[in-house]
């Protein structure tokens, strides 16, 4: 089956940029997603990118997709303490199945 | 305001007891997922259903876990007997295949503690 991998932990200082990386294995992916989980809550969709795009920007968020290397990243500019959360990447395969990574716990140090 | 609901929100039980978690998916969604989240393993897919039929439960320990959808408004995840290593947050999510890029909507989770 599809394998989506992320590092479990990331720490950054407030004001710095955060880059959360994700790799996937399915070559027929159609959409790739980033979900955010606030403490004590379920996951919520943050942003997504269609597989024929290589970049998407939304305010402080930049999603980069390298389809050749099957690598997805989420960059958060000017990271704030309120950005501390767990970030999940997810891959929608050609068979319409959505696979999540394990999540990256982002800790922002004041 | 459509949302996925889960009950109970918290459950503390003793080892060996049966635990049943319930989920009400968003009306009209045709796919329901069960996930388990722990600090060390992250988010793991346990099972999912499409149009109430189980499609994949390979992530679930079959000897003690079972997942069912008795009707379109209710999904259950049962653990019998429970063990301390089952302590985790269990999430239910629902979605509509083919709509809006297949977004999944997550419930608030059931935090299970097995003593």
């Amino acid at each position: 089956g599809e394998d989506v991998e992320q590092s479990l932990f990331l720490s950054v200082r407030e004001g710095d940029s955060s880059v959360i990386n994700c790799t996937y294995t399915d070559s027929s992916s159609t959409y790739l997603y980033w979900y955010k989980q606030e403490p004590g809550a379920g996951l919520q969709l943050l942003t997504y990118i269609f597989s024929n795009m290589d970049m998407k920007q939304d305010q402080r968020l930049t999603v980069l997709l390298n389809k050749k290397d099957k690598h997805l990243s989420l960059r958060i500019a000017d990271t704030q303490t309120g950005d501390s959360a767990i970030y999940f990447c997810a891959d929608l395969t050609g068979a319409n199945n959505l696979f999540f990574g394990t999540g990256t716990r982002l800790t922002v140090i004041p | 305001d459509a949302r996925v609901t889960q009950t109970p929100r918290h459950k503390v039980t003793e080892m060996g007891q049966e635990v049943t978690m319930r989920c009400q998916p968003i009306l009209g969604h045709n796919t329901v997922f069960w996930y388990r989240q722990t600090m060390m393993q992250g988010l793991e897919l346990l099972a999912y259903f499409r149009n109430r039929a189980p499609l994949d439960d390979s992530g679930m320990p079959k000897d003690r876990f079972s997942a069912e959808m008795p009707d379109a408004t209710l999904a259950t995840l049962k653990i019998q007997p429970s063990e301390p290593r089952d302590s985790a947050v269990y999430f239910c999510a629902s979605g509509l295949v083919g709509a809006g890029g297949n977004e999944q909507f997550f419930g608030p989770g059931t935090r299970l503690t097995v003593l």
Side-chain angles (χ1 to χ4, degrees):
Chain A
E2 168 70 331
D3 192 16
V4 181
E5 293 193 352
Q6 302 176 241
S7 299
L8 281 176
F9 303 98
L10 175 67
S11 293
V12 298
R13 294 211 172 271
E14 189 174 17
D16 288 350
S17 291
S18 308
V19 179
I20 303 170
N21 293 302
C22 172
T23 58
Y24 59 97
T25 56
D26 193 294
S27 55
S28 65
S29 299
T30 54
Y31 288 88
L32 293 120
Y33 304 80
W34 285 104
Y35 279 73
K36 179 181 180 181
Q37 183 185 28
E38 305 269 6
L43 283 68
Q44 287 194 299
L45 182 65
L46 190 60
T47 187
Y48 68 92
I49 188 168
F50 191 50
S51 60
N52 69 354
M53 298 169 62
D54 51 23
M55 188 181 88
K56 180 178 180 180
Q57 187 143 6
D58 182 3
Q59 299 182 326
R60 291 190 298 119
L61 304 179
T62 303
V63 178
L64 294 178
L65 174 61
N66 182 329
K67 199 170 179 182
K68 174 175 164 291
D69 294 340
K70 299 189 183 68
H71 181 269
L72 181 74
S73 67
L74 175 69
R75 179 176 180 271
I76 306 173
D78 187 24
T79 313
Q80 303 297 307
T81 54
D83 295 323
S84 292
I86 305 177
Y87 293 82
F88 295 83
C89 69
D91 164 36
L92 184 69
T93 68
N96 263 343
N97 293 317
L98 189 62
F99 292 90
F100 282 85
T102 53
T104 298
R105 183 180 294 271
L106 174 65
T107 301
V108 181
I109 304 163
Chain B
D1 182 23
R3 61 184 71 188
V4 176
T5 58
Q6 290 185 246
T7 56
R9 292 295 311 278
H10 302 272
K11 176 74 176 178
V12 180
T13 191
E14 290 187 342
M15 183 172 66
Q17 296 298 305
E18 177 179 300
V19 175
T20 299
M21 290 169 271
R22 293 178 174 79
C23 167
Q24 182 172 3
I26 292 173
L27 191 65
H29 281 185
N30 60 1
T31 312
V32 175
F33 305 81
W34 283 106
Y35 294 91
R36 173 172 65 185
Q37 185 180 30
T38 60
M39 176 77 80
M40 295 314 298
Q41 300 295 327
L43 191 70
E44 302 172 279
L45 176 64
L46 296 175
Y48 74 97
F49 296 78
R50 187 160 294 161
N51 298 319
R52 294 178 55 204
L55 280 199
D56 185 355
D57 61 2
S58 57
M60 210 163 64
K62 305 273 192 322
D63 56 337
R64 298 184 300 108
F65 284 59
S66 61
E68 294 180 349
M69 274 201 80
D71 62 60
T73 65
L74 177 65
T76 62
L77 179 66
K78 189 177 294 187
I79 308 174
Q80 167 63 21
S82 58
E83 296 180 2
R85 60 181 166 147
D86 300 329
S87 297
V89 181
Y90 290 81
F91 286 102
C92 173
S94 72
L96 184 60
V97 171
N102 291 60
E103 180 181 353
Q104 288 185 24
F105 295 82
F106 282 74
T110 294
R111 182 175 293 276
L112 174 66
T113 303
V114 183
L115 303 174

